[in-house]
């Protein structure tokens, strides 16, 4: 895909992720020996909502040069953790919600903080009281854990394999540690109110990375719906 080989496991399975603004037409080439077969697909563009959020601390809307420098260093560390590749494949049995609660923010929505337009949101926000358990949506290995990043506060990344990873933001307590093998449903952290927030919630994000490709994907496409949905505005 895009001139890069995708990892295929011993059962013939592979993962390919598309981002928020994926191009309209994509091709996938499957090779076996000298034989190639090209598959072409059309990607339907989604309509994304605009979500206005007021009451955000000004330091997170207009960060100082010091905080900008800090956030750039933190982003580099997060990027390294997201790009770790493993051949784990337990996630093929499916994903579950890490927290159950009202969905207050969705993937792809344009964010407006205190009247100022900012980049789109790349996760799903789930409101829950501080201290609520956060469980692993699928098995994996913890590749990043930090209790105090500038924008995302308590942050944890779990590598699920095949380039798929979950990132949890705004955590209160980080229970799991870097290098720890996690099973689906296992407690990894608790919901917090840290970083750029206006209330306690979990921001669950997912990435797919492969040989230089890094794509932010929609976690809600991988889980069944639950009854407590409120997509805000």
């Amino acid at each position: 895909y895009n001139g890069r080989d995708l990892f295929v496991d011993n059962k013939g399975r592979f993962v390919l992720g598309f981002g928020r603004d994926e191009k309209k037409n994509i091709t996938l080439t499957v090779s076996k020996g000298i034989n190639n077969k090209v598959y072409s697909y059309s990607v339907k563009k989604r309509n994304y909502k605009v979500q206005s959020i007021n009451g955000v601390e000004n330091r997170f809307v207009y960060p100082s040069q010091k905080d900008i420098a800090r956030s750039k260093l933190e982003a580099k560390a997060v990027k390294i953790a997201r790009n770790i590749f493993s051949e784990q494949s337990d996630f093929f049995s499916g994903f579950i919600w890490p927290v159950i609660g009202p969905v207050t923010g969705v993937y792809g929505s344009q964010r407006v903080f205190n009247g100022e337009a900012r980049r789109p949101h790349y996760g799903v926000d789930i409101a829950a009281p501080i201290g609520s358990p956060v469980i692993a949506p699928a098995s994996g290995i913890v590749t990043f854990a930090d209790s105090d990043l500038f924008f995302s506060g308590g942050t944890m990344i779990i590598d699920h394999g095949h380039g798929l990873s979950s990132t949890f933001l705004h955590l209160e307590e980080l229970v799991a540690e870097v290098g720890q093998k996690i099973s689906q449903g296992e407690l990894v952290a608790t919901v917090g109110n840290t970083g750029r927030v206006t209330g306690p919630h979990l921001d669950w994000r997912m990435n797919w990375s492969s040989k230089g490709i890094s794509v932010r994907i929609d976690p809600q496409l991988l889980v069944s719906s639950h009854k407590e949905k409120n997509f805000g505005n």
Side-chain angles (χ1 to χ4, degrees):
Y1 173 68
N2 277 351
R4 297 174 173 86
D5 292 335
L6 300 179
F7 171 71
V8 182
D9 70 9
N10 56 14
K11 294 184 179 180
R13 301 175 299 188
F14 65 93
V15 174
L16 173 60
F18 299 139
R20 180 184 188 273
D21 301 310
E22 183 64 46
K23 57 187 179 183
K24 185 175 181 180
N25 298 298
I26 65 103
T27 59
L28 183 68
T29 303
V30 179
S31 302
K32 187 173 183 180
I34 61 172
N35 299 315
N36 294 332
K37 187 170 183 179
V38 179
Y39 296 85
S40 298
Y41 301 94
S42 296
V43 180
K44 184 178 179 180
K45 185 174 179 60
R46 291 167 61 177
N47 293 318
Y48 297 104
K49 298 181 179 181
V50 175
Q51 185 176 32
S52 296
I53 301 174
N54 296 314
V56 180
E57 286 186 55
N58 277 335
R59 66 185 293 248
F60 294 114
V61 181
Y62 308 104
S64 66
Q65 289 301 313
K66 181 179 179 180
D67 285 333
I68 291 173
R70 171 189 170 186
S71 67
K72 286 182 177 179
L73 288 175
E74 293 170 347
K76 288 181 180 179
V78 166
K79 183 178 180 179
I80 290 172
R82 283 177 176 163
N83 285 330
I84 292 175
F85 187 89
S86 69
E87 298 183 6
Q88 301 174 83
S89 57
D90 291 346
F91 68 88
F92 278 110
S93 62
F95 285 79
I96 60 176
W97 286 88
V99 171
I100 298 296
V103 173
T104 56
V106 294
Y107 172 92
S109 59
Q110 175 65 55
R111 283 288 174 87
V112 179
F113 293 122
N114 298 351
E116 295 287 336
R118 291 294 184 262
R119 65 182 60 183
H121 186 238
Y122 287 105
V124 54
D125 288 339
I126 310 160
I130 292 177
S132 298
V134 177
I135 61 174
S139 298
I141 296 175
V142 179
T143 58
F144 185 90
D146 193 302
S147 61
D148 185 26
L149 299 191
F150 178 68
F151 283 114
S152 57
T155 303
M156 179 178 291
I157 299 175
I158 299 177
D159 166 38
H160 300 298
H162 286 245
L164 276 180
S165 65
S166 284
T167 303
F168 302 129
L169 312 182
H170 312 305
L171 302 171
E172 178 73 11
E173 180 184 3
L174 282 64
V175 177
E177 300 177 346
V178 172
Q180 184 174 341
K181 179 72 169 69
I182 300 296
S183 298
Q184 185 182 60
E186 185 174 345
L187 177 68
V188 295
T190 62
V191 172
N193 191 32
T194 59
R196 184 174 60 187
V197 296
T198 56
H201 71 283
L202 174 71
D203 182 351
W204 175 29
R205 304 190 177 198
M206 291 201 69
N207 278 64
W208 173 73
S209 300
S210 177
K211 299 181 179 180
I213 306 173
S214 185
V215 179
R216 293 169 172 175
I217 60 177
D218 185 357
Q220 284 193 271
L221 297 178
L222 300 177
V223 288
S224 60
S225 61
H226 65 71
K227 63 181 180 181
E228 296 190 80
K229 281 195 171 180
N230 171 20
F231 294 112
N233 57 351

